[in-house]
Amino acid sequence: MTAPAVARRHEGRRLLARSLSGRRRVVAALLAWSTVQALPAFLSGRLLAQAVDDGFLAGRAGTGFAWLGALGVAVVVGAWGTRETYLRLASLVEPFRDELVEVVVTGALRRAAVSGRPADSGGVARLTQHVEILREAYAGVLMTVQGFAITAGGAVLGLFGLLPAALVLVLPPLVAGLAVFAAALRPMAARQRASILADEAISESASAVADGLRDVVACGGEGAVESTVGRHVDAQAGATVALARTTAVGTGAVAVGGWLPVILLLAAGPSLVRDGATTGELIGALTYVLYGIHPALQTLVRQLGGAGLWLFVTLDRVVEATAGDPPGPAPSDAPGGRAPSPGSADLLLDDVTFRYGASPDPVIRHLDLEVQEGEHLAIVGPSGVGKSTLAGLMAGLLVPESGEVLLGGVKAAEVAPEELARWRALIPQEAYVFPGTVRENVTYLRDGASDDEIDAVVDLLGARPLVDGLGGLDGGVDGGALSAGERQLLTLVRAYLSPAPVVVLDEATCHLDPAAEARVELAFARRPGTLIVIAHRISSALRARRVLVLDGAGTAAGTHDELLDGSVLYRDLVGHWG
Ligand SMILES: Nc1ncnc2c1ncn2[C@@H]1O[C@H](COP(=O)(O)OP(=O)(O)OP(=O)(O)O)[C@@H](O)[C@H]1O
Ligand SMILES: [Mg+2]
């Protein structure tokens, strides 16, 4: 994990602390109303003791009921206090929700702006949904902590007033129980985080599989997918078991802090009576523990250990995932997150073998190929020999069965998808245009290209008549109304404008006439960077500095003249093209 990633880890908690400290007045009002809310907890034992001692045990049932009536009044006043405190709690929670939404949405937009990709609106929707759940968890945790402080605090104070001698039996176990719980919180949070991360890994891998299910089945990749997703599921199960183990500590904390005082009070009852405690006072003391401290502690442990932990860890995770540094060069700890070394646009295939699914024959067999930065390579071969497959391997879209594909010195499998998109542009035979303006279509791989830049490329590639015919850069593109060659021209402008230093044209000019194709290929050859052209005409091979002849049985590489001498297949192809 990188240093900034660690620093960002607790960003959510910091946001929470900032939100609270910015609302001191609301917090003060909350505390004031809390004292009213605490009234029944504070008075319950005392009023019960009075009802028993002065009323029922003294034979004055009426007085007893009067004291119980007073307790009823205290409960009503307490309920009023509760209502007012909840309104104050809402004034803390709602603005926090707004702050969180702002952080999440701004983060997503900023990342989109920096990465040059469209904003992940689906992701933002998911996150804002998360924010709603977080808001509820936050409200729950605030209410729990405040409720515990009110009830346990009121009960301890009441006990102090009623039977101070009982305090030594109640307070130390309560403090010890709280200490045990507090000590367990950190490891619990770590395990909760592990569980959430494992959850994310499952949904990420499962949704990737769902997206590509057809390809997985087509390629016979079920086994590989099963083991990948299965690994994540096992990790998640392990994390959940580990989390369950730590939550057992919470039960221990309640036993020490909530039950032990009851046992101690009962055991010490006779000696307390000997020291002058009345029956009513003993009942009152037990009431403070059984109906005040014990349930308050139990709720605190259950809520903080469950929703509370989830809140803090998820909050950190949401803020970390969205508000963190935008994806510049991919962070080194991201899965598959390495960038090809900057500026290097060379490609290396080392003993690469590739087959589709469980097919008996590999399409590419033990292929070694080095394409140096700035090179212009043409690939030729009979139909169906594997030229597009090779293009897919060189573009990092296909993963070899054995051997290595190095893009700019980095293993293709380790390059993050967004880096891959920045590093190479692959234009397939079937041109893809989408409904939108010409400008949107040609700047798809490079947001923010100026009109001057676009116009220069349009002229360079000979697409001016087409663009003018469509009504200029603001003109609309209707794929169905364009010819195959016109669609290709638009995608070629798009590829040329992309920042990728490596361009792979897979018969991307096949629908252009020879003159238009020559113009495009010459322009691309002058574009800085590496050019790989899968050729379907002899002219493309002639223009390239080096030619690779793909043949099911083997390959040959060299200049046009060398291959005419050395490769029967190349001679055949040239003859056929001629
Ligand atoms: N997705 C796929 N699943 C299974 N087999 C495939 C797949 N794509 C291609 N093939 C097979 O792999 C072989 C090589 O195909 P590829 O498209 O790479 O050839 P090509 O040289 O580009 O052909 P063309 O000149 O027709 O474009 C062919 O036998 C093809 O049937
Ligand atoms: Mg092909």
Side-chain angles (χ1 to χ4, degrees):
M1 173 152 306
T2 58
V6 172
R8 282 205 308 269
R9 253 231 198 148
H10 297 142
E11 202 49 50
R13 274 169 242 193
R14 277 194 276 277
L15 185 75
L16 197 82
R18 274 201 303 278
S19 174
L20 269 180
S21 64
R23 308 206 151 66
R24 294 226 169 79
R25 283 182 53 190
V26 182
V27 173
L30 176 73
L31 290 178
W33 280 109
S34 296
T35 56
V36 180
Q37 189 191 354
L39 213 60
F42 175 64
L43 292 177
S44 60
R46 152 76 60 186
L47 294 177
L48 263 183
Q50 298 284 24
V52 170
D53 289 340
D54 292 357
F56 304 116
L57 280 188
R60 293 190 294 269
T63 314
F65 281 118
W67 282 118
L68 290 184
L71 182 55
V73 172
V75 168
V76 171
V77 173
W80 176 49
T82 305
R83 176 181 177 273
E84 294 297 323
T85 47
Y86 280 11
L87 291 177
R88 288 350 177 253
L89 283 173
S91 314
L92 290 179
V93 172
E94 297 306 324
F96 174 67
R97 189 255 310 262
D98 296 344
E99 286 159 8
L100 198 53
V101 168
E102 192 182 326
V103 165
V104 164
V105 175
T106 331
L109 291 177
R110 195 159 54 93
R111 289 160 75 84
V114 172
S115 70
R117 280 170 297 142
D120 174 14
S121 53
V124 170
R126 275 196 307 281
L127 281 166
T128 41
Q129 205 179 346
H130 253 101
V131 167
E132 285 308 311
I133 305 173
L134 280 171
R135 178 191 65 126
E136 273 172 38
Y138 178 41
V141 166
L142 271 185
M143 274 162 64
T144 306
V145 172
Q146 187 261 358
F148 173 79
I150 294 306
T151 313
V156 166
L157 277 180
L159 185 62
F160 181 66
L162 181 72
L163 191 61
L167 219 50
V168 289
L169 306 172
V170 173
L171 214 46
L174 176 62
V175 171
L178 282 174
V180 167
F181 183 60
L185 272 178
R186 189 181 281 267
M188 277 162 84
R191 290 179 181 194
Q192 177 85 57
R193 182 179 162 86
S195 163
I196 287 177
L197 289 178
D199 239 357
E200 287 178 4
I202 288 184
S203 68
E204 223 166 79
S205 62
S207 75
V209 169
D211 284 349
L213 205 54
R214 207 179 47 182
D215 296 339
V216 168
V217 175
C219 301
E222 293 97 328
V225 164
E226 192 181 325
S227 85
T228 313
V229 179
R231 251 200 335 270
H232 291 311
V233 172
D234 290 346
Q236 215 283 344
T240 308
V241 169
L243 181 62
R245 275 201 205 109
T246 38
T247 47
V249 177
T251 315
V254 175
V256 173
W259 285 117
L260 195 56
V262 178
I263 295 167
L264 292 179
L265 266 181
L266 289 175
S271 83
L272 285 171
V273 170
R274 245 180 277 121
D275 291 346
T278 64
T279 311
E281 282 168 351
L282 272 184
I283 291 176
L286 276 172
T287 304
Y288 279 130
V289 176
L290 277 174
Y291 295 100
I293 292 169
H294 181 269
L297 181 64
Q298 198 163 33
T299 311
L300 180 81
V301 165
R302 196 183 306 136
Q303 282 287 107
L304 270 195
L309 270 190
W310 182 89
L311 166 72
F312 289 120
V313 175
T314 308
L315 183 61
D316 284 340
R317 188 73 195 116
V318 165
V319 175
E320 173 191 359
T322 52
D325 295 337
S332 59
D333 62 338
R338 290 185 66 198
S341 55
S344 102
D346 53 4
L347 265 141
L348 185 73
L349 276 75
D350 181 14
D351 197 21
V352 167
T353 297
F354 177 90
R355 86 180 75 219
Y356 285 100
S359 140
D361 294 319
V363 178
I364 304 289
R365 246 174 267 173
H366 301 292
L367 176 65
D368 292 311
L369 175 67
E370 189 177 353
V371 186
Q372 282 172 356
E373 181 165 354
E375 196 176 337
H376 177 180
L377 174 78
I379 299 173
V380 300
S383 187
V385 75
K387 302 181 296 293
S388 294
T389 305
L390 178 57
L393 285 163
M394 294 195 294
L397 291 176
L398 299 175
V399 181
E401 168 184 310
S402 63
E404 206 112 77
V405 177
L406 295 179
L407 309 178
V410 177
K411 285 186 195 167
E414 292 179 3
V415 181
E418 63 267 25
E419 283 302 334
L420 209 52
R422 264 197 286 260
W423 190 75
R424 54 92 181 113
L426 168 68
I427 301 295
Q429 183 174 348
E430 286 314 316
Y432 167 68
V433 295
F434 51 87
T437 62
V438 171
R439 186 186 290 100
E440 283 164 348
N441 264 277
V442 298
T443 58
Y444 178 67
L445 294 177
R446 174 150 149 237
D447 263 356
S450 72
D451 284 2
D452 286 347
E453 281 173 284
I454 302 173
D455 280 332
V457 175
V458 165
D459 288 332
L460 195 64
L461 299 189
R464 175 57 57 199
L466 168 64
V467 171
D468 284 349
L470 289 170
L473 296 183
D474 291 316
V477 172
D478 169 10
L482 294 178
S483 73
E486 288 169 332
R487 287 200 297 272
Q488 281 193 330
L489 260 185
L490 284 182
T491 53
L492 287 161
V493 174
R494 180 191 296 159
Y496 197 102
L497 275 169
S498 94
V502 177
V503 172
V504 183
L505 303 179
D506 182 0
E507 306 199 27
T509 51
C510 64
H511 295 297
L512 302 186
D513 62 60
E517 177 180 70
R519 182 171 183 164
V520 165
E521 276 183 9
L522 287 173
F524 268 97
R526 279 191 224 108
R527 184 182 181 274
T530 307
L531 177 65
I532 297 160
V533 177
I534 293 175
H536 67 115
R537 282 194 191 117
I538 182 70
S539 45
S540 293
L542 280 170
R543 274 188 289 269
R545 219 178 303 162
R546 192 159 65 112
V547 181
L548 176 80
V549 187
L550 263 193
D551 180 351
T555 56
T559 62
H560 172 74
D561 292 334
E562 285 166 359
L563 288 170
L564 274 184
D565 276 348
S567 166
V568 178
L569 176 63
Y570 189 69
R571 269 201 304 275
D572 283 353
L573 282 170
V574 170
H576 172 72
W577 279 332

